[in-house]
Coordinates of all heavy atoms in Angstrom, one line a residue:
M1 N 92.2 37.4 121.7 CA 91.2 37.0 120.8 C 91.8 36.9 119.4 O 92.8 37.4 119.1 CB 90.1 38.1 120.7 CG 89.2 38.1 122.0 SD 88.4 36.5 122.2 CE 86.8 37.0 122.6
G2 N 91.1 36.2 118.5 CA 91.6 35.9 117.2 C 90.8 36.7 116.1 O 90.1 37.7 116.4
I3 N 91.1 36.3 114.9 CA 90.4 36.9 113.7 C 89.5 35.9 113.1 O 89.8 34.7 113.0 CB 91.5 37.3 112.7 CG1 92.5 38.3 113.3 CG2 90.9 37.9 111.4 CD1 92.0 39.6 113.6
A4 N 88.3 36.4 112.8 CA 87.3 35.5 112.1 C 87.2 35.8 110.6 O 87.4 37.0 110.2 CB 85.9 35.7 112.8
A5 N 87.0 34.8 109.8 CA 86.7 35.0 108.4 C 85.2 35.0 108.3 O 84.6 34.0 108.7 CB 87.4 33.9 107.6
V6 N 84.7 36.1 107.7 CA 83.2 36.2 107.6 C 82.8 36.4 106.2 O 83.4 37.1 105.4 CB 82.8 37.5 108.4 CG1 81.3 37.7 108.4 CG2 83.3 37.4 109.8
K7 N 81.7 35.7 105.8 CA 81.1 35.9 104.5 C 79.7 36.3 104.7 O 78.9 35.6 105.4 CB 81.2 34.6 103.7 CG 80.8 34.7 102.3 CD 80.8 33.4 101.6 CE 82.2 33.0 101.1 NZ 82.2 31.8 100.3
I8 N 79.3 37.4 104.1 CA 77.9 37.9 104.3 C 77.3 38.1 102.9 O 77.9 38.6 102.0 CB 77.9 39.3 105.0 CG1 78.4 39.2 106.4 CG2 76.5 40.0 105.0 CD1 78.5 40.4 107.2
K9 N 76.0 37.6 102.8 CA 75.2 37.8 101.6 C 74.3 39.0 101.8 O 73.5 39.0 102.7 CB 74.4 36.6 101.3 CG 73.6 36.7 100.0 CD 72.6 35.5 99.9 CE 73.3 34.3 99.5 NZ 72.3 33.2 99.2
I10 N 74.4 39.9 100.8 CA 73.5 41.1 100.8 C 72.6 41.0 99.6 O 73.1 40.9 98.5 CB 74.4 42.4 100.7 CG1 75.4 42.5 101.9 CG2 73.4 43.6 100.7 CD1 76.4 43.6 101.8
M11 N 71.3 41.0 99.9 CA 70.3 40.9 98.8 C 69.8 42.3 98.5 O 69.3 43.0 99.4 CB 69.1 40.0 99.2 CG 69.5 38.6 99.4 SD 70.1 37.8 97.9 CE 68.7 37.9 96.9
P12 N 69.9 42.7 97.2 CA 69.3 44.0 96.8 C 67.8 43.9 96.8 O 67.2 42.8 96.7 CB 69.9 44.3 95.4 CG 70.3 42.9 94.9 CD 70.6 42.1 96.1
S13 N 67.1 45.1 96.7 CA 65.6 45.1 96.8 C 65.0 44.7 95.4 O 63.9 44.3 95.4 CB 65.1 46.5 97.2 OG 65.7 47.5 96.4
S14 N 65.8 44.9 94.3 CA 65.3 44.5 93.0 C 66.4 44.2 92.0 O 67.5 44.6 92.3 CB 64.3 45.5 92.4 OG 65.1 46.6 91.9
P15 N 66.2 43.6 90.9 CA 67.2 43.3 89.9 C 67.8 44.6 89.2 O 68.8 44.5 88.6 CB 66.6 42.4 88.9 CG 65.3 41.9 89.5 CD 64.9 42.9 90.5
T16 N 67.0 45.7 89.3 CA 67.4 46.9 88.6 C 68.3 47.8 89.4 O 68.8 48.8 88.8 CB 66.1 47.6 88.2 OG1 65.4 48.0 89.3 CG2 65.3 46.8 87.2
V17 N 68.5 47.5 90.7 CA 69.4 48.5 91.5 C 70.8 48.3 91.1 O 71.3 47.3 90.6 CB 69.2 48.3 93.0 CG1 67.7 48.5 93.4 CG2 69.6 46.9 93.5
N18 N 71.6 49.3 91.4 CA 73.1 49.3 91.1 C 73.8 48.5 92.2 O 74.1 49.0 93.3 CB 73.6 50.7 91.1 CG 75.0 50.8 90.7 OD1 75.7 49.8 90.6 ND2 75.4 52.0 90.3
T19 N 74.1 47.2 91.9 CA 74.8 46.3 92.9 C 76.2 46.7 93.1 O 76.8 46.5 94.2 CB 74.7 44.9 92.4 OG1 75.2 44.7 91.1 CG2 73.3 44.3 92.5
K20 N 76.8 47.4 92.1 CA 78.2 47.8 92.3 C 78.3 48.9 93.4 O 79.1 48.9 94.2 CB 78.8 48.4 91.0 CG 78.8 47.5 89.8 CD 80.0 46.6 89.9 CE 80.1 45.8 88.6 NZ 80.3 44.4 88.9
K21 N 77.3 49.8 93.4 CA 77.2 50.9 94.4 C 77.0 50.3 95.8 O 77.6 50.7 96.7 CB 76.1 51.9 94.0 CG 76.0 53.1 94.9 CD 77.2 54.0 94.7 CE 77.0 55.2 95.5 NZ 78.2 56.0 95.7
I22 N 76.1 49.3 95.9 CA 75.8 48.7 97.1 C 77.1 48.0 97.6 O 77.4 48.1 98.8 CB 74.7 47.6 97.0 CG1 73.3 48.3 96.7 CG2 74.6 46.8 98.3 CD1 72.2 47.4 96.4
G23 N 77.8 47.3 96.8 CA 79.1 46.7 97.1 C 80.1 47.7 97.6 O 80.8 47.4 98.6
E24 N 80.2 48.8 96.9 CA 81.2 49.8 97.4 C 80.8 50.4 98.7 O 81.7 50.5 99.6 CB 81.2 51.0 96.3 CG 81.8 50.6 95.0 CD 81.6 51.7 94.0 OE1 81.0 52.8 94.3 OE2 82.0 51.4 92.8
N25 N 79.5 50.6 98.9 CA 79.1 51.2 100.2 C 79.3 50.1 101.4 O 79.7 50.5 102.5 CB 77.6 51.5 100.2 CG 77.3 52.8 99.3 OD1 78.2 53.5 99.1 ND2 76.1 52.9 98.9
A26 N 79.0 48.9 101.1 CA 79.2 47.8 102.1 C 80.7 47.7 102.4 O 81.1 47.6 103.6 CB 78.7 46.5 101.5
K27 N 81.6 47.7 101.4 CA 83.0 47.6 101.7 C 83.5 48.7 102.5 O 84.3 48.5 103.5 CB 83.8 47.5 100.3 CG 85.3 47.4 100.5 CD 86.0 47.2 99.2 CE 87.5 47.0 99.4 NZ 88.2 46.7 98.2
E28 N 83.1 49.9 102.2 CA 83.5 51.1 103.0 C 83.0 51.0 104.4 O 83.8 51.3 105.4 CB 82.9 52.4 102.3 CG 83.3 53.7 103.0 CD 82.7 54.9 102.3 OE1 82.6 54.9 101.1 OE2 82.4 55.8 103.1
L29 N 81.8 50.6 104.6 CA 81.2 50.4 106.0 C 82.0 49.3 106.8 O 82.3 49.5 107.9 CB 79.7 50.1 105.9 CG 79.0 49.9 107.2 CD1 79.0 51.2 108.0 CD2 77.6 49.5 106.9
I30 N 82.2 48.2 106.1 CA 83.0 47.1 106.8 C 84.4 47.6 107.2 O 84.8 47.3 108.4 CB 83.1 45.9 105.8 CG1 81.7 45.2 105.7 CG2 84.1 44.9 106.3 CD1 81.6 44.3 104.5
E31 N 85.0 48.3 106.3 CA 86.4 48.7 106.7 C 86.4 49.8 107.8 O 87.3 49.8 108.6 CB 87.1 49.2 105.4 CG 87.5 48.0 104.5 CD 88.1 48.4 103.2 OE1 88.1 49.6 102.8 OE2 88.6 47.4 102.5
T32 N 85.4 50.7 107.8 CA 85.4 51.7 108.9 C 85.0 51.1 110.2 O 85.4 51.6 111.2 CB 84.4 52.8 108.5 OG1 83.1 52.3 108.2 CG2 84.9 53.7 107.4
M33 N 84.3 49.9 110.2 CA 84.0 49.3 111.5 C 85.0 48.3 111.9 O 84.8 47.6 113.0 CB 82.6 48.6 111.3 CG 81.5 49.7 111.2 SD 79.9 49.0 111.4 CE 79.9 48.6 113.1
G34 N 86.1 48.1 111.2 CA 87.2 47.2 111.7 C 87.5 46.0 110.8 O 88.4 45.3 111.2
G35 N 86.7 45.8 109.8 CA 87.0 44.7 108.9 C 88.2 44.9 108.0 O 88.6 46.1 107.8
K36 N 88.9 43.9 107.7 CA 90.1 44.0 106.9 C 90.0 43.1 105.6 O 89.3 42.1 105.6 CB 91.4 43.5 107.7 CG 91.6 44.2 109.0 CD 92.2 45.6 108.8 CE 92.5 46.2 110.1 NZ 92.3 47.6 110.2
N37 N 90.8 43.4 104.6 CA 90.9 42.6 103.4 C 89.5 42.3 102.8 O 89.3 41.1 102.4 CB 91.7 41.4 103.6 CG 93.1 41.7 104.1 OD1 93.7 42.7 103.7 ND2 93.6 40.9 105.0
C38 N 88.6 43.2 102.7 CA 87.3 43.0 102.2 C 87.3 42.8 100.7 O 87.8 43.6 99.9 CB 86.4 44.1 102.6 SG 84.7 43.9 102.1
T39 N 86.6 41.7 100.2 CA 86.4 41.5 98.8 C 84.9 41.4 98.6 O 84.2 40.9 99.4 CB 87.1 40.2 98.3 OG1 86.6 39.1 99.0 CG2 88.6 40.2 98.5
I40 N 84.5 41.9 97.4 CA 83.1 41.9 97.0 C 83.0 41.1 95.7 O 83.8 41.3 94.8 CB 82.7 43.4 96.8 CG1 82.9 44.2 98.0 CG2 81.2 43.4 96.4 CD1 82.1 44.0 99.2
S41 N 82.0 40.3 95.7 CA 81.6 39.5 94.4 C 80.1 39.5 94.3 O 79.4 39.8 95.2 CB 82.3 38.1 94.4 OG 81.7 37.4 95.5
E42 N 79.7 39.1 93.1 CA 78.2 38.9 92.9 C 77.9 37.5 92.6 O 78.7 36.8 91.9 CB 77.8 39.8 91.7 CG 77.8 41.3 92.1 CD 77.2 42.2 91.0 OE1 76.3 41.7 90.3 OE2 77.6 43.3 91.0
E43 N 76.8 37.0 93.0 CA 76.3 35.7 92.8 C 74.9 35.7 92.2 O 74.0 36.3 92.8 CB 76.3 34.9 94.2 CG 75.8 33.5 94.1 CD 75.8 32.9 95.5 OE1 76.9 32.7 96.1 OE2 74.7 32.7 96.0
P44 N 74.7 35.1 91.0 CA 73.4 35.2 90.4 C 72.4 34.3 91.3 O 72.8 33.2 91.7 CB 73.6 34.5 89.1 CG 75.0 34.1 89.0 CD 75.7 34.5 90.2
I45 N 71.2 34.9 91.5 CA 70.2 34.2 92.3 C 69.1 33.6 91.3 O 69.0 32.4 91.1 CB 69.6 35.1 93.4 CG1 70.7 35.6 94.3 CG2 68.5 34.4 94.1 CD1 71.4 34.5 95.1
A46 N 68.3 34.5 90.8 CA 67.3 34.1 89.8 C 66.7 35.4 89.1 O 66.6 36.5 89.7 CB 66.1 33.4 90.5
F47 N 66.2 35.2 87.9 CA 65.5 36.3 87.2 C 66.3 37.6 87.2 O 65.7 38.6 87.3 CB 64.1 36.5 87.8 CG 63.3 35.2 87.9 CD1 63.1 34.6 89.1 CD2 62.8 34.6 86.7 CE1 62.3 33.4 89.2 CE2 62.1 33.4 86.8 CZ 61.8 32.8 88.0
G48 N 67.6 37.5 87.0 CA 68.4 38.7 86.9 C 68.8 39.3 88.2 O 69.5 40.3 88.2
L49 N 68.4 38.7 89.3 CA 68.7 39.2 90.6 C 70.1 38.6 91.0 O 70.3 37.4 91.0 CB 67.7 38.9 91.7 CG 67.9 39.4 93.1 CD1 67.8 40.9 93.1 CD2 66.8 38.8 94.0
N50 N 71.0 39.5 91.4 CA 72.3 39.1 91.9 C 72.5 39.5 93.4 O 72.2 40.6 93.8 CB 73.4 39.8 91.1 CG 73.5 39.3 89.7 OD1 73.3 38.1 89.4 ND2 73.8 40.1 88.8
A51 N 73.0 38.6 94.2 CA 73.4 38.8 95.6 C 74.8 39.4 95.6 O 75.6 39.0 94.8 CB 73.3 37.6 96.4
I52 N 75.1 40.3 96.5 CA 76.4 40.8 96.8 C 77.0 39.9 97.9 O 76.4 39.9 99.0 CB 76.4 42.3 97.1 CG1 75.8 43.1 96.0 CG2 77.8 42.8 97.5 CD1 74.4 43.6 96.2
I53 N 78.2 39.3 97.6 CA 78.8 38.5 98.6 C 80.1 39.3 99.1 O 80.9 39.6 98.3 CB 79.2 37.1 98.0 CG1 78.1 36.4 97.4 CG2 79.9 36.3 99.1 CD1 76.9 36.1 98.3
T54 N 80.2 39.5 100.4 CA 81.3 40.1 101.0 C 82.1 39.1 101.8 O 81.5 38.3 102.5 CB 80.9 41.3 101.9 OG1 80.2 40.8 103.0 CG2 80.1 42.3 101.2
F55 N 83.4 39.1 101.7 CA 84.3 38.2 102.4 C 85.4 39.0 103.0 O 86.1 39.8 102.3 CB 84.8 37.1 101.5 CG 85.6 36.1 102.2 CD1 85.0 35.2 103.0 CD2 87.0 36.0 102.0 CE1 85.8 34.2 103.7 CE2 87.8 35.0 102.7 CZ 87.1 34.1 103.5
F56 N 85.6 38.9 104.4 CA 86.6 39.8 105.0 C 87.0 39.2 106.4 O 86.4 38.3 106.9 CB 86.0 41.2 105.3 CG 84.6 41.2 106.0 CD1 84.6 41.3 107.4 CD2 83.4 41.0 105.4 CE1 83.4 41.3 108.1 CE2 82.2 41.0 106.0 CZ 82.2 41.2 107.4
A57 N 88.1 39.7 106.9 CA 88.6 39.4 108.2 C 88.0 40.3 109.2 O 87.9 41.5 109.0 CB 90.1 39.5 108.2
W58 N 87.5 39.7 110.4 CA 86.8 40.5 111.4 C 87.4 40.1 112.8 O 87.5 38.9 113.1 CB 85.3 40.2 111.3 CG 84.5 41.0 112.3 CD1 83.9 40.5 113.4 CD2 84.0 42.3 112.1 NE1 83.2 41.5 114.0 CE2 83.2 42.6 113.2 CE3 84.3 43.3 111.1 CZ2 82.6 43.9 113.3 CZ3 83.7 44.5 111.3 CH2 82.9 44.8 112.4
P59 N 87.7 41.1 113.6 CA 88.2 40.8 115.0 C 87.1 40.1 115.8 O 86.0 40.6 115.9 CB 88.5 42.2 115.6 CG 88.4 43.2 114.4 CD 87.7 42.6 113.3
E60 N 87.4 39.0 116.4 CA 86.4 38.2 117.1 C 85.8 39.0 118.3 O 84.6 38.8 118.7 CB 87.0 36.9 117.7 CG 87.1 35.9 116.6 CD 87.6 34.6 117.2 OE1 88.3 34.6 118.3 OE2 87.4 33.6 116.5
E61 N 86.5 39.9 118.9 CA 86.0 40.6 120.1 C 84.9 41.7 119.7 O 84.2 42.2 120.5 CB 87.1 41.3 120.9 CG 87.9 42.4 120.2 CD 89.0 41.9 119.3 OE1 89.3 40.7 119.2 OE2 89.7 42.8 118.8
K62 N 84.8 42.0 118.4 CA 83.8 43.0 118.0 C 82.5 42.3 117.6 O 82.5 41.2 117.1 CB 84.2 43.7 116.7 CG 85.4 44.7 117.0 CD 85.6 45.6 115.8 CE 86.4 46.8 116.2 NZ 86.1 47.9 115.5
E63 N 81.4 43.0 117.9 CA 80.0 42.4 117.6 C 79.7 42.5 116.1 O 79.7 43.6 115.6 CB 79.0 43.1 118.4 CG 79.0 42.9 119.9 CD 77.8 43.5 120.6 OE1 76.7 43.5 120.1 OE2 78.0 44.1 121.7
L64 N 79.4 41.4 115.6 CA 79.0 41.3 114.1 C 77.6 41.9 113.9 O 77.3 42.4 112.8 CB 79.2 39.9 113.6 CG 79.3 39.7 112.1 CD1 80.4 40.5 111.6 CD2 79.5 38.2 111.9
E65 N 76.7 41.8 114.9 CA 75.4 42.2 114.8 C 75.2 43.7 114.5 O 74.4 44.1 113.7 CB 74.6 41.9 116.1 CG 74.3 40.4 116.3 CD 75.6 39.7 116.9 OE1 76.5 40.4 117.4 OE2 75.6 38.5 116.8
K66 N 76.1 44.5 115.0 CA 76.1 45.9 114.8 C 76.4 46.2 113.3 O 75.8 47.1 112.7 CB 77.1 46.7 115.7 CG 76.6 46.7 117.1 CD 77.6 47.5 118.0 CE 77.2 47.5 119.4 NZ 78.1 48.2 120.3
L67 N 77.4 45.5 112.8 CA 77.7 45.6 111.3 C 76.5 45.2 110.5 O 76.1 45.9 109.5 CB 78.9 44.8 111.0 CG 79.3 44.7 109.5 CD1 79.6 46.1 109.0 CD2 80.4 43.8 109.3
E68 N 75.9 44.1 110.8 CA 74.7 43.6 110.1 C 73.6 44.7 110.0 O 73.0 45.0 109.0 CB 74.1 42.4 110.7 CG 74.9 41.1 110.4 CD 74.3 39.9 111.1 OE1 73.3 39.4 110.5 OE2 74.7 39.5 112.2
E69 N 73.3 45.3 111.2 CA 72.3 46.3 111.2 C 72.6 47.5 110.3 O 71.8 48.1 109.7 CB 72.1 46.8 112.7 CG 71.4 45.8 113.5 CD 70.0 45.3 113.0 OE1 69.3 46.2 112.6 OE2 69.8 44.1 113.0
K70 N 73.9 47.9 110.3 CA 74.3 49.1 109.5 C 74.2 48.7 108.0 O 73.9 49.5 107.2 CB 75.7 49.6 109.9 CG 75.6 50.3 111.2 CD 76.9 51.0 111.5 CE 76.8 51.7 112.8 NZ 77.7 52.8 113.0
L71 N 74.6 47.5 107.7 CA 74.5 47.0 106.3 C 73.1 47.0 105.8 O 72.8 47.4 104.6 CB 75.1 45.6 106.1 CG 76.7 45.5 106.2 CD1 77.1 44.1 106.2 CD2 77.3 46.3 105.1
K72 N 72.1 46.7 106.6 CA 70.7 46.6 106.3 C 70.2 48.0 105.9 O 69.2 48.2 105.2 CB 69.9 46.1 107.4 CG 70.0 44.6 107.6 CD 69.2 44.1 108.7 CE 69.5 42.6 109.0 NZ 68.8 42.1 110.2
K73 N 70.9 49.1 106.4 CA 70.4 50.4 106.2 C 70.9 51.1 104.9 O 70.6 52.2 104.6 CB 70.8 51.3 107.4 CG 70.0 50.9 108.7 CD 70.5 51.7 109.9 CE 69.7 51.3 111.1 NZ 70.1 52.0 112.3
I74 N 71.8 50.3 104.2 CA 72.3 50.8 102.9 C 71.1 50.9 102.0 O 70.3 50.0 101.9 CB 73.4 49.9 102.4 CG1 74.6 50.0 103.2 CG2 73.7 50.3 100.9 CD1 75.7 49.0 102.8
K75 N 71.1 52.0 101.2 CA 70.0 52.2 100.2 C 69.8 51.0 99.3 O 70.8 50.5 98.8 CB 70.2 53.5 99.4 CG 69.1 53.9 98.5 CD 69.4 55.2 97.9 CE 68.2 55.7 97.1 NZ 68.1 55.5 95.8
D76 N 68.6 50.6 99.0 CA 68.3 49.5 98.1 C 68.7 48.1 98.6 O 68.7 47.1 97.8 CB 68.8 49.7 96.7 CG 68.2 50.9 96.0 OD1 67.0 51.2 96.2 OD2 69.0 51.7 95.3
V77 N 69.0 47.9 99.9 CA 69.3 46.6 100.4 C 68.0 46.0 101.0 O 67.3 46.7 101.8 CB 70.4 46.7 101.5 CG1 70.5 45.4 102.3 CG2 71.7 47.0 100.8
N78 N 67.7 44.8 100.6 CA 66.5 44.1 101.2 C 66.8 43.3 102.4 O 66.1 43.3 103.4 CB 65.9 43.2 100.1 CG 64.6 42.6 100.5 OD1 63.8 43.3 101.1 ND2 64.4 41.4 100.1
S79 N 67.9 42.5 102.4 CA 68.3 41.7 103.5 C 69.8 41.5 103.6 O 70.5 41.6 102.6 CB 67.6 40.3 103.4 OG 68.0 39.6 102.3
V80 N 70.2 41.1 104.8 CA 71.6 40.8 105.0 C 71.7 39.5 105.8 O 71.0 39.4 106.8 CB 72.3 42.0 105.8 CG1 73.7 41.6 106.3 CG2 72.3 43.3 105.0
Q81 N 72.6 38.6 105.4 CA 72.7 37.3 106.1 C 74.1 36.9 106.2 O 74.8 36.8 105.2 CB 71.9 36.3 105.3 CG 71.9 34.9 105.9 CD 71.2 33.9 105.0 OE1 70.8 34.1 103.9 NE2 71.0 32.7 105.6
V82 N 74.6 36.5 107.4 CA 75.9 35.9 107.6 C 75.8 34.5 107.1 O 75.0 33.7 107.6 CB 76.4 35.9 109.0 CG1 77.7 35.2 109.2 CG2 76.5 37.4 109.5
I83 N 76.6 34.1 106.0 CA 76.5 32.8 105.5 C 77.7 31.9 105.9 O 77.6 30.7 105.7 CB 76.3 32.8 104.0 CG1 77.3 33.6 103.2 CG2 74.9 33.3 103.6 CD1 77.2 33.5 101.7
D84 N 78.7 32.5 106.4 CA 79.9 31.7 106.9 C 80.6 32.5 107.9 O 80.9 33.7 107.7 CB 80.8 31.3 105.7 CG 81.8 30.3 106.0 OD1 81.7 29.7 107.1 OD2 82.7 30.0 105.2
L85 N 81.0 31.9 109.0 CA 81.8 32.6 110.0 C 82.7 31.5 110.7 O 82.2 30.5 111.2 CB 80.9 33.2 111.1 CG 81.5 33.8 112.3 CD1 82.4 35.0 112.0 CD2 80.4 34.2 113.3
R86 N 84.0 31.7 110.6 CA 84.9 30.7 111.2 C 86.2 31.4 111.6 O 86.5 32.5 111.1 CB 85.2 29.6 110.2 CG 85.8 30.1 108.9 CD 86.0 28.9 107.9 NE 84.7 28.6 107.3 CZ 84.5 27.5 106.6 NH1 85.5 26.6 106.5 NH2 83.4 27.2 106.1
R87 N 86.8 30.8 112.6 CA 88.1 31.4 113.1 C 89.2 31.2 112.1 O 89.4 30.1 111.5 CB 88.5 30.7 114.4 CG 89.8 31.2 114.9 CD 90.1 30.7 116.3 NE 89.4 31.6 117.2 CZ 89.5 31.4 118.5 NH1 90.0 30.3 119.0 NH2 88.9 32.3 119.3
A88 N 89.8 32.3 111.8 CA 90.9 32.3 110.8 C 92.3 32.2 111.4 O 93.1 31.4 111.0 CB 90.8 33.5 109.9
F89 N 92.5 33.0 112.5 CA 93.8 33.1 113.1 C 93.5 33.3 114.6 O 92.6 33.8 115.0 CB 94.6 34.3 112.7 CG 94.7 34.4 111.2 CD1 94.0 35.3 110.5 CD2 95.5 33.5 110.5 CE1 94.1 35.4 109.1 CE2 95.6 33.6 109.1 CZ 94.9 34.6 108.4
G90 N 94.5 32.8 115.4 CA 94.4 33.1 116.9 C 94.2 32.0 117.7 O 94.0 30.9 117.6

């Protein structure tokens, strides 16, 4: 199996939550579940709300749905969406 490049958008529950903390928690979770080279950035949406964008390498043989479910359980996260998934190596 190969390696997939994955980009996930995490939406916080409000513009006032600590997006840095959500990003740190997401990165830690991704890396403990097998993701590599995780980068976190923020993307302005509207009215002061910023989405957290994660980009990382993921082993194709692992289920991405389990990671999504765990990301949704992070405090102050409203939604999680895979916005890009493509084969990187293999």
